[in-house]
Amino acid sequence: MRVMSAGDGYKYLLRTVATGDGDRALSTPLTRYYTEEGTPPGRWIGSAVTALGGGTIAIGDEVTEEQLQRLIGQGIDPVTKAALGRAYGKFPTATERIERRIANLDTDLPVMERAEAVATIEADERARGVRKAVAGFDFTFSIPKSASVLWAVADAGTQSLIADAHHAAVAEMVAYIEREVAATRVGAVGRNGAVAQAEVSGVIATAFDHYDSRAGDPHLHTHVVISNKVQTVHDGKWRSLDGRPLHGATVALSELHEAVFADHLTRTLGVAWEAREMGRDRNPAWAITTVPEELVAEFSTRARHIDVETDRLIAEHVAVHGRRPSPATIVRFRAQATLSTRPEKQVRSLAGLTTLWRDRATYLLGEDATRWARTVTKNDAPLLLRADDIPLDVIDSLGHSVVEAVGEKRATWRTWNLTAEAARQTMSYRFATTRDREVVVGMVVDVAEHASLRLTPPELASSPAIFRRADGSSRFRPTGSTVYSSIEVMAAEDRLLERARILTGPTVSIRTIEKIARRMDRDGRVLGDDQVAALARIAISGRAVDVLVGPAGAGKTTAMRALRTAWEREHGRGSVVGLAPSAVAAQVLADDLGIRTENTAKWWQDHQQADATFTQGQLVIVDEASLAGTLSLDRVTEHAAEVGAKVLLVGDWAQLQSVSASGAFSLLVHDRDDAPELVDVHRFVNHWEKTASLDLRHGRTEAIDAYADHSRITGGGTEAMINAAYTAWRADTLAGAATVLIADSNDSVHALNQRARADLILDGTVNAIREVALHDDARAAVGDTIITRHNDRRLRAGRGWVRNGDRWTIIDVRDDGSLIARRAGSRGTVLLPAGYVSENVDLG
């Protein structure tokens, strides 16, 4: 899902729509435009569309550009032009912002300085663009890749059946959104918006079908744009959708849609489904059992396009020079092909695409692809389940399994988290109707809710009937807002709080801290007042579990280094050890403090298997503690308390939390009013950045304006922003600056890595004459930067070992697929075996 802006934000939906009228003799919009270049026009969907134009619009009618411009662009009725509630909010234009800032300039500025200031303001504001109101929500419903492949090569009749199954699933998910998700808000408007949820008559939406991906591979999907305008049931007024449940339910809707589509396709064609492992760091994907993974892979990569272009360049070279190019030249040709074949979105007809897809599939399968598709779709009647076919003990087991799975990922959860997991765990069942599936998922969620520990308190006073929903719940509580946890996590949190209140732990005298504080460190710096105060509080507190809080750049490492010196002076050499949630973070802590460290998972394993232990009087520093799971911290602090050691949790409660059940660090910090905290940020050169970063840390969104005022934000379409980010990264790299390029998805990361590598080959940084295959279809050679993605203590590099997240430079590639790499920032080298390279190495 993505949020759509008012104005012209809708236009991207119309860029590929066919200009012709299509063949009206054909039955469905998807087949009607079979020979037209482009995709079918959009169609109206959602039960509330009949309220538009005095009832002149019906579900399934074609959407015109003018209608879309009125509804999404202006927020008015697409036929009558009547206002649908309040007009979209208007925000200052660039010109208005410029005038306001110029008016605030010092009137006594000299003429030249004022002219320079005005020029800077104008450049800043023109670059910022214009903020726009929310006009709708774009949900993209995609069918599994194996189904897209089958649809791509099947005969026209089977293609229509698959498309019908897809459209039916989309329509049912829109209906589900209307019943379970869509709502508006009414009442007094405060900081967090209106106070009560109200039911709406339905949603107004438009659906646009697309056939292919940017690379021209089959990718049947539908953009469903749900208008922000909804009509309230109780008074008929037009209001805005409550966006909170839409955001909260997105993952659950995705999981449900996949299962509902699979049901439809099985009922139609009798196909069976299986879960396929997709490799490291990726969830299993459900696929039609009779569609081979090799065929799916054929339509999931750009490698074929690059090969074709490379062959063309080689043939061109032979024609000109009369000889085959050298290996080095071929490497450069492939790099050129990687860059030149980056696809622009092409507008083609479904007929043309289908011909290409069938030819590719026929070549791979070794038989006619359309004939093969008939064998895949010719099946006996499938076994379909009704809701009451699932025994109650299975429902109960699934409910508890859902809680267990969700509890591994988060400390608290809501109904939509449980719904998403329930949909995943029932995906293997095929149901006779969508209603049967919804009933079973709902029953599993009910069990999961009862098996969870409810944190949201019950309503202490009943609301009048007018403020209650049909199920009796209060409209003052948003649907799905109840927060749950588990008894295991809560018990662990209780134990952590109890240990943090124990005041009999080891200490260091204030005199020792004062002596250390007056010294310069190895970089010639003296501790700041906030650092000294924090260390003194930690040293003398006697708390068995203590905390040190500080935002990035506040000097936590410097403070910990001084604490280590003071602690070892009184408790002896080696009395300070370190832990961290990851092996890389543990190694950074070891390098910074010069102490023995380990990651928390390995420490627990060693503790269980080899009786690894802390000792009395030790200080155990847990760095990046906000990223440590609650259960992990519970285990570490329990053992430390048993032997008389002190645990110091270091981190920032405002930092992104762990992907595992977490939040304990923040809990421990906010349980007391004297938590040691570093407040002076040293990292930034510009004072405004220091202030803005702290404002962001505390959730003050107005801090974003400071970044915009200093031209730190650039906006635009996805493709334009990817290009802009890459161009900036490339410029920094050529200038010798260390820079980081971050993308929004694994696919984008892979594409950017390939683009960067092609440029590095062309400029001679990478010698790709001999390459080695990496994870996820990537390749690497001498000069490439790589990242290892799996801890392996058997692979030694100098004094260290290979860790997940380490960066390396390849210095040699062996014939067997192994490689020799040097760790970034050191002279340590390692031989990475071929098996490790192919499974656990990415381009970096």
Side-chain angles (χ1 to χ4, degrees):
M1 186 194 78
R2 77 183 189 94
V3 176
M4 289 190 65
S5 300
D8 58 1
Y10 66 92
K11 287 188 175 180
Y12 75 94
L13 293 167
L14 305 173
R15 289 174 189 156
T16 62
V17 169
T19 55
D21 291 331
D23 185 349
R24 295 289 170 176
L26 296 174
S27 59
T28 69
L30 204 61
T31 53
R32 184 180 304 150
Y33 291 86
Y34 188 73
T35 59
E36 298 287 339
E37 288 192 353
T39 53
R43 62 189 186 279
W44 290 102
I45 190 172
S47 64
V49 300
T50 54
L52 301 176
T56 59
I57 296 180
I59 295 174
D61 285 354
E62 184 178 311
V63 180
T64 67
E65 180 174 359
E66 184 179 37
Q67 290 173 336
L68 203 59
Q69 194 277 331
R70 289 173 181 171
L71 178 63
I72 302 298
Q74 299 177 261
I76 61 177
D77 190 297
V79 178
T80 67
K81 303 182 186 178
L84 300 179
R86 294 182 181 177
Y88 291 136
K90 292 185 177 180
F91 299 93
T93 64
T95 300
E96 291 169 340
R97 297 197 306 267
I98 289 170
E99 292 174 351
R100 185 181 63 208
R101 289 180 62 185
I102 291 176
N104 291 331
L105 290 175
D106 188 346
T107 56
D108 295 329
L109 277 177
V111 175
M112 292 304 296
E113 288 188 25
R114 182 177 180 82
E116 290 178 1
V118 168
T120 300
I121 289 172
E122 289 177 343
D124 287 349
E125 295 300 341
R126 299 295 182 199
R128 282 179 60 187
V130 180
R131 183 182 172 192
K132 297 180 181 179
V134 174
F137 303 87
D138 179 5
F139 286 84
T140 303
F141 292 98
S142 304
I143 68 175
K145 191 68 177 182
S146 61
S148 273
V149 170
L150 180 61
W151 165 79
V153 303
D155 58 65
T158 304
Q159 279 188 329
S160 293
L161 292 174
I162 296 173
D164 288 345
H166 169 55
H167 291 151
V170 169
E172 288 175 345
M173 294 316 301
V174 171
Y176 182 87
I177 289 172
E178 292 181 325
R179 292 195 311 272
E180 306 292 341
V181 186
T184 186
R185 289 180 285 180
V186 296
V189 178
R191 179 180 177 185
N192 295 316
V195 297
Q197 271 191 341
E199 294 175 350
V200 298
S201 60
V203 299
I204 300 168
T206 57
F208 289 81
D209 291 323
H210 288 180
Y211 310 133
D212 59 336
S213 68
R214 180 171 292 275
D217 291 328
H219 178 44
L220 181 59
H221 61 286
T222 300
H223 289 270
V224 175
V225 177
I226 297 178
S227 170
N228 200 28
K229 298 293 186 178
V230 288
Q231 199 168 22
T232 313
V233 170
H234 74 273
D235 61 8
K237 288 185 177 180
W238 288 94
R239 292 183 168 89
S240 297
L241 267 173
D242 185 353
R244 296 172 299 175
L246 287 172
H247 286 280
T250 297
V251 176
L253 292 172
S254 174
E255 298 291 345
L256 281 169
H257 167 258
E258 184 174 44
V260 168
F261 169 77
D263 287 345
H264 273 289
L265 202 61
T266 296
R267 290 198 291 268
T268 302
L269 300 176
V271 296
W273 296 81
E274 64 183 6
R276 293 178 181 172
E277 293 297 326
M278 302 304 293
R280 175 180 49 79
D281 297 334
R282 300 179 68 181
N283 292 325
W286 283 89
I288 300 172
T289 55
T290 46
V291 176
E293 190 59 32
E294 294 78 13
L295 189 58
V296 174
E298 164 67 18
F299 291 110
S300 305
T301 177
R302 287 184 54 223
R304 181 180 176 85
H305 300 161
I306 295 171
D307 289 341
V308 169
E309 177 62 11
T310 303
D311 290 343
R312 188 192 68 78
L313 291 171
I314 292 172
E316 190 177 86
H317 183 278
V318 171
V320 172
H321 300 283
R323 56 181 171 79
R324 185 172 177 81
S326 67
T329 302
I330 292 176
V331 165
R332 294 176 66 85
F333 283 168
R334 185 169 183 84
Q336 290 176 20
T338 300
L339 296 176
S340 64
T341 57
R342 288 184 63 245
E344 295 293 333
K345 184 66 174 179
Q346 297 185 29
V347 179
R348 304 175 183 175
S349 70
L350 180 55
L353 287 168
T354 300
T355 300
L356 290 173
W357 294 335
R358 287 173 179 166
D359 288 345
R360 289 170 63 183
T362 296
Y363 178 82
L364 182 73
L365 293 168
E367 62 176 306
D368 182 76
T370 304
R371 190 179 304 116
W372 166 83
R374 292 194 189 102
T375 66
V376 171
T377 56
K378 186 178 181 180
N379 300 290
D380 296 330
L383 175 63
L384 300 174
L385 300 174
R386 289 289 189 177
D388 54 7
D389 290 330
I390 310 297
L392 291 180
D393 61 330
V394 173
I395 296 290
D396 185 75
S397 176
L398 284 169
H400 285 83
S401 177
V402 164
V403 173
E404 183 178 351
V406 173
E408 285 291 324
K409 301 173 185 176
R410 53 183 70 238
T412 60
W413 49 87
R414 291 179 167 84
T415 297
W416 289 121
N417 303 118
L418 299 174
T419 302
E421 186 60 33
R424 290 188 198 101
Q425 297 204 17
T426 55
M427 176 63 185
S428 59
Y429 300 139
R430 300 276 70 83
F431 287 97
T433 68
T434 299
R435 182 59 182 164
D436 288 307
R437 176 170 293 280
E438 289 181 13
V439 168
V440 170
V441 169
M443 292 170 67
V444 172
V445 171
D446 286 343
V447 172
E449 287 181 345
H450 283 94
S452 301
L453 184 65
R454 177 175 173 145
L455 301 183
T456 301
E459 298 174 45
L460 300 180
S462 61
S463 299
I466 193 173
F467 294 122
R468 290 194 168 274
R469 301 184 182 91
D471 62 1
S473 62
S474 172
R475 299 185 189 279
F476 294 109
R477 288 199 171 171
T479 302
S481 63
T482 301
V483 179
Y484 300 93
S485 186
S486 71
I487 294 175
E488 291 76 15
V489 171
M490 294 293 290
E493 290 177 348
D494 283 343
R495 291 191 293 269
L496 284 167
L497 288 171
E498 290 175 6
R499 293 175 198 134
R501 294 163 186 159
I502 295 173
L503 302 179
T504 56
T507 61
V508 170
S509 68
I510 194 65
R511 181 179 300 175
T512 301
I513 291 294
E514 289 175 344
K515 287 180 180 179
I516 300 300
R518 287 195 293 266
R519 288 183 179 179
M520 286 187 179
D521 66 8
R522 61 190 183 190
D523 298 319
R525 293 174 298 200
V526 177
L527 294 179
D529 292 342
D530 60 334
Q531 291 172 314
V532 174
L535 293 188
R537 196 172 296 167
I538 293 167
I540 67 174
S541 72
R543 291 181 182 269
V545 178
D546 218 333
V547 296
L548 174 61
V549 182
K556 295 191 292 292
T557 299
T558 302
M560 286 190 289
R561 195 179 293 136
L563 180 60
R564 177 230 168 169
T565 302
W567 199 274
E568 289 191 338
R569 177 167 293 187
E570 292 202 6
H571 293 277
R573 187 175 180 83
S575 59
V576 180
V577 295
L579 294 175
S582 69
V584 170
Q587 185 59 47
V588 170
L589 182 64
D591 294 340
D592 287 340
L593 269 59
I595 60 175
R596 181 167 51 88
T597 65
E598 190 52 87
N599 72 72
T600 50
K602 184 60 167 60
W603 173 86
W604 177 242
Q605 181 185 35
D606 291 345
H607 178 67
Q608 289 182 302
Q609 297 178 357
D611 199 28
T613 182
F614 303 135
T615 59
Q616 186 174 10
Q618 261 189 336
L619 174 65
V620 182
I621 298 177
V622 182
D623 200 12
E624 302 289 356
S626 65
L627 298 177
T630 298
L631 299 179
S632 177
L633 291 181
D634 179 41
R635 291 190 287 260
V636 170
T637 56
E638 179 183 32
H639 176 61
E642 288 174 351
V643 300
K646 178 185 179 76
V647 176
L648 175 64
L649 306 178
V650 181
D652 183 9
W653 55 266
Q655 186 178 355
L656 186 68
Q657 298 295 300
S658 167
V659 294
S660 61
S662 63
F665 180 74
S666 178
L667 179 72
L668 293 171
V669 171
H670 291 96
D671 183 59
R672 47 191 287 199
D673 56 10
D674 63 342
E677 184 168 5
L678 306 180
V679 296
D680 190 10
V681 178
H682 308 279
R683 180 168 295 174
F684 299 107
V685 174
N686 302 309
H687 182 76
W688 73 265
E689 275 189 283
K690 169 183 173 179
T691 304
S693 71
L694 292 175
D695 284 344
L696 281 180
R697 177 173 178 263
H698 289 286
R700 300 177 189 131
T701 54
E702 60 271 18
I704 296 173
D705 293 336
Y707 291 96
D709 291 342
H710 290 83
S711 302
R712 295 294 183 85
I713 300 174
T714 302
T718 301
E719 198 68 22
M721 289 302 94
I722 288 176
N723 286 333
Y726 178 80
T727 300
W729 173 87
R730 179 68 175 157
D732 280 352
T733 302
L734 292 174
T739 186
V740 177
L741 181 60
I742 301 173
D744 63 335
S745 68
N746 288 335
D747 289 341
S748 294
V749 169
H750 181 72
L752 286 167
N753 272 330
Q754 295 301 318
R755 185 175 174 184
R757 184 168 187 266
D759 278 330
L760 293 172
I761 291 172
L762 291 173
D763 66 23
T765 302
V766 172
N767 180 1
I769 291 179
R770 179 185 295 174
E771 292 184 317
V772 62
L774 305 182
H775 170 68
D776 203 17
D777 297 329
R779 305 184 74 80
V782 173
D784 270 316
T785 299
I786 57 173
I787 299 177
T788 47
R789 293 299 191 186
H790 179 67
N791 293 332
D792 195 326
R793 294 166 188 266
R794 299 168 298 178
L795 303 177
R796 306 296 299 182
R799 296 183 178 179
W801 45 274
V802 174
R803 293 173 172 81
N804 177 20
D806 280 349
R807 298 178 76 243
W808 311 76
T809 300
I810 297 177
I811 59 177
D812 189 27
V813 174
R814 302 289 184 86
D815 291 337
D816 63 354
S818 63
L819 55 83
I820 297 176
R822 178 181 294 112
R823 192 192 300 275
S826 76
R827 295 183 178 181
T829 62
V830 66
L831 173 64
L832 298 176
Y836 184 94
V837 171
S838 62
E839 292 293 328
N840 300 301
V841 172
D842 289 337
L843 285 173

